[in-house]
C-alpha cells in the first residue's frame, strides 16, 4: 500500500480522487449506452473501481494520521511508518524535521521513501526526540507453556 507523506501529495491525491470519480461516472455511462449487461459493466469497471478505492484509502489514511490516529507497531515492524505518521500528525514538513535533525531535507525524504528501512535504534531515538515524542512499549511473552 502506498503512503501519502506530504500535504502536497495529499492535495494531489484528493484532486486525482475527484477526477477519478468524474471519469468513473462517465465510463459507466458510456458502457450503459453500449447496452451491456450489469455483469459486463461491473467486469469492465472493476479495475477502475479498485484503483479508485485504493486511492480513497490512501487519502483516508493520511487524514487519520493528521488526526493522530496511528497503527500499532509490533516487534518494531512498522516503526518507519510510525515515524512518518508522527511527523504528519504534528503538521511538520520533511524540511522542518530535517532542520530539527540537522540534516538535509533530501535525507529525510529518502528515509521516508524507504520507510526508514534499516534505521538504527540510535537514529530512531534522534528522530523521536526531534519530534518531541516518547514511545512506550509493552512486552508479552510469545512462549506457550505445555502442560502435562
Amino acid at each position: 500500500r502506498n503512503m501519502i507523506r506530504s500535504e502536497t501529495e495529499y492535495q494531489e491525491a484528493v484532486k486525482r480522487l475527484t477526477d477519478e470519480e468524474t471519469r468513473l461516472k462517465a465510463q459507466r455511462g458510456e458502457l450503459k449506452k453500449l447496452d451491456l449487461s450489469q455483469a459486463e459493466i461491473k467486469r469492465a469497471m472493476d479495475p477502475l473501481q479498485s484503483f479508485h478505492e485504493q486511492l480513497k484509502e490512501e487519502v483516508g489514511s493520511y487524514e487519520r494520521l493528521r488526526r493522530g490516529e496511528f497503527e500499532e507497531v509490533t516487534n518494531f515492524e512498522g516503526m518507519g511508518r510510525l515515524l512518518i505518521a508522527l511527523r504528519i500528525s504534528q503538521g511538520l514538513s520533511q524540511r522542518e524535521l530535517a532542520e530539527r535533525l540537522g540534516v538535509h531535507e533530501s535525507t529525510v525524504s529518502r528515509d521516508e521513501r524507504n520507510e526508514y528501512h534499516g534505521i538504527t535504534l540510535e537514529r530512531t531515538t534522534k528522530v523521536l526526540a526531534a519530534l518531541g515524542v516518547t514511545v512506550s512499549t509493552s512486552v508479552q511473552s510469545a512462549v506457550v507453556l505445555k502442560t502435562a
Side-chain angles (χ1 to χ4, degrees), residues 10 19 31 38 44 47 89 105 114-115 119 140-141:
Y10 170 72
D19 293 347
L31 291 171
Q38 286 298 322
S89 74
E105 180 181 359
N114 296 322
E115 294 184 2
I119 190 171
Q140 299 171 351
S141 175

Side-chain angles (χ1 to χ4, degrees), residues 90-120:
Q90 292 183 17
L92 283 178
S93 68
Q94 290 177 337
R95 173 176 287 136
E96 291 166 321
L97 177 58
E99 288 170 3
R100 290 182 183 189
L101 289 168
V103 300
H104 195 274
E105 180 181 359
S106 64
T107 302
V108 172
S109 176
R110 182 192 66 234
D111 286 346
E112 288 194 0
R113 197 171 38 255
N114 296 322
E115 294 184 2
Y116 289 95
H117 181 75
I119 190 171
T120 64

Side-chain angles (χ1 to χ4, degrees), residues 38-92:
Q38 286 298 322
E40 290 169 320
I41 291 173
K42 182 183 180 327
R43 199 167 33 251
M45 293 297 296
D46 275 352
L48 298 171
Q49 191 65 45
S50 176
F51 174 78
H52 182 74
E53 292 303 318
Q54 180 182 348
L55 187 57
K56 208 153 106 177
E57 174 52 34
E58 291 169 21
V59 167
S61 178
Y62 185 82
E63 290 169 346
R64 285 188 297 279
L65 293 179
R66 286 198 316 196
R67 290 192 302 269
E69 298 171 21
F70 309 112
E71 294 177 14
E72 193 171 289
V73 174
T74 303
N75 293 337
F76 297 102
E77 290 177 27
M79 180 57 80
R81 289 179 79 85
L82 178 62
L83 293 174
I84 297 165
L86 290 166
R87 178 189 58 75
I88 290 169
S89 74
Q90 292 183 17
L92 283 178

